[in-house]
Amino acid sequence: MKNLEIMTTILEKIKEYDRIMLFRHIRNDGDCVGATKGLKRIIQLTWPEKEVYLIDEDLAKYLDFMGPEDEPVADDLYADALGIVLDTASESRISNKKYTLCKELVKIDHHIPLENYGSYIWVEEEKSSACEMVVKFYSAFRDQLKIDSEAATYLYTGMVTDTGRFRYSDVDGDTLRHAAILLDVGVDTETLYARLYLEAFEYLKFKAHIYQKMQITENGVAYIFVDCDMQKEFGLSLEQASAVIGNLDSIRGCICWIAFIETGDEQNTIRVRLRSRFVHINSIAEKYRGGGHASASGATLYGREEIDALLRDADAHVKNYKENNEGWL
């Protein structure tokens, strides 16, 4: 099995340590939350005597149903602990900076690797989600590990959200086989989908507003700018405003779409979400303090001038792709 050696090493490290600290990326999403909570639950079920901590920033509001985080602990508890960082390509994006206090560090990730960190590194950039990697880990050692419906629900949540309900191009047969493992354990998908995808009436009016305001570049980059006034008008959290990217994904001829979200902080930061089909856009994100997957990335801008610059780069990138490839829609 591919990567069996590193998975075996990680398993042995988990067995070795009495205390384990779990970490994930800033601006948490369904995958990083599901992966950390799912792995924590598996470890606790398998080794009830171990101390397992997940100490992080507050969850994005739409993930509140996944339950609270652990309370902070003294720094000296990190010193003899194993740290496991999930779903995080670079150290700068690790949310809880106390990962540096851990005795040893494991990296489990599915993003295009921007940098190596940690003593033990397991990266599979072709995998659809970090949650799928945790399920793969469980499946490889299911004779030694325990799982229940709670852990399965955490992990299925991450798989569903990071694959766009199993629609994205990185979904393969293994993805669905791993999802089937979780469904066999027990996941209430009707309740889960209701929690994830039901929308308030006010948010539906915001979506209608978005369709009036979105624009398209000359060569087919759809984009929207959600400023602070718009967020205030429709009562949106930053996470809800960022989710607008999903409303731009079905425009014929637009193979790249971008949402610019004004954060209102002192640095005039603008959160950027980039998505695409056919064409890879991670190189654009990396140029603007970001990164991610080939067709789903994020970046950070400072000021409107950088918005114009990124749009020019994206438009030229899409133009070049269309001129040299066929079959795009």
Side-chain angles (χ1 to χ4, degrees), residues 112-126:
I112 296 170
L114 299 178
E115 62 183 48
N116 289 327
Y117 63 86
S119 310
Y120 310 96
I121 301 171
W122 174 27
V123 174
E124 292 193 48
E125 61 185 84
E126 72 278 7

Side-chain angles (χ1 to χ4, degrees), residues 275-313:
R275 301 290 185 269
S276 67
R277 55 178 171 271
F278 305 117
V279 62
H280 292 176
I281 43 76
N282 56 293
S283 61
I284 302 295
E286 290 165 10
K287 183 177 178 180
Y288 293 91
R289 310 173 194 89
H293 303 289
S295 298
S297 293
T300 300
L301 304 182
Y302 297 97
R304 302 259 183 149
E305 290 183 0
E306 290 198 342
I307 291 179
D308 294 336
L310 189 150
L311 281 173
R312 286 194 298 270
D313 288 342

Side-chain angles (χ1 to χ4, degrees), residues 114-228:
L114 299 178
E115 62 183 48
N116 289 327
Y117 63 86
S119 310
Y120 310 96
I121 301 171
W122 174 27
V123 174
E124 292 193 48
E125 61 185 84
E126 72 278 7
K127 283 301 175 200
S128 69
S129 62
C131 281
E132 183 183 353
M133 295 179 69
V134 175
V135 181
K136 180 178 179 178
F137 180 75
Y138 162 75
S139 180
F141 306 111
R142 64 171 68 196
D143 59 330
Q144 303 180 59
L145 299 174
K146 296 181 181 179
I147 196 171
D148 64 2
S149 61
E150 181 181 334
T153 299
Y154 291 143
L155 295 168
Y156 195 79
T157 298
M159 292 187 70
V160 165
T161 54
D162 236 35
T163 62
R165 284 179 270 189
F166 304 105
R167 294 185 296 117
Y168 298 157
S169 59
D170 52 9
V171 172
D172 58 16
D174 280 342
T175 307
L176 298 181
R177 281 183 282 271
H178 288 133
I181 290 172
L182 302 176
L183 292 172
D184 287 343
V185 172
V187 178
D188 180 355
T189 54
E190 184 172 19
T191 299
L192 176 61
Y193 286 157
R195 284 170 167 165
L196 288 174
Y197 300 116
L198 290 182
E199 296 175 338
F201 182 64
E202 288 300 318
Y203 188 74
L204 290 176
K205 292 197 290 185
F206 168 64
K207 288 174 67 173
H209 184 71
I210 289 301
Y211 292 132
Q212 293 290 328
K213 295 293 185 179
M214 65 183 183
Q215 300 183 61
I216 300 173
T217 66
E218 179 181 357
N219 293 292
V221 177
Y223 66 96
I224 184 71
F225 179 69
V226 184
D227 61 19
C228 291

Side-chain angles (χ1 to χ4, degrees), residues 265-280:
D265 62 15
E266 294 180 357
Q267 292 75 37
N268 196 24
T269 305
I270 297 168
R271 179 187 295 187
V272 185
R273 287 193 166 184
L274 302 96
R275 301 290 185 269
S276 67
R277 55 178 171 271
F278 305 117
V279 62
H280 292 176

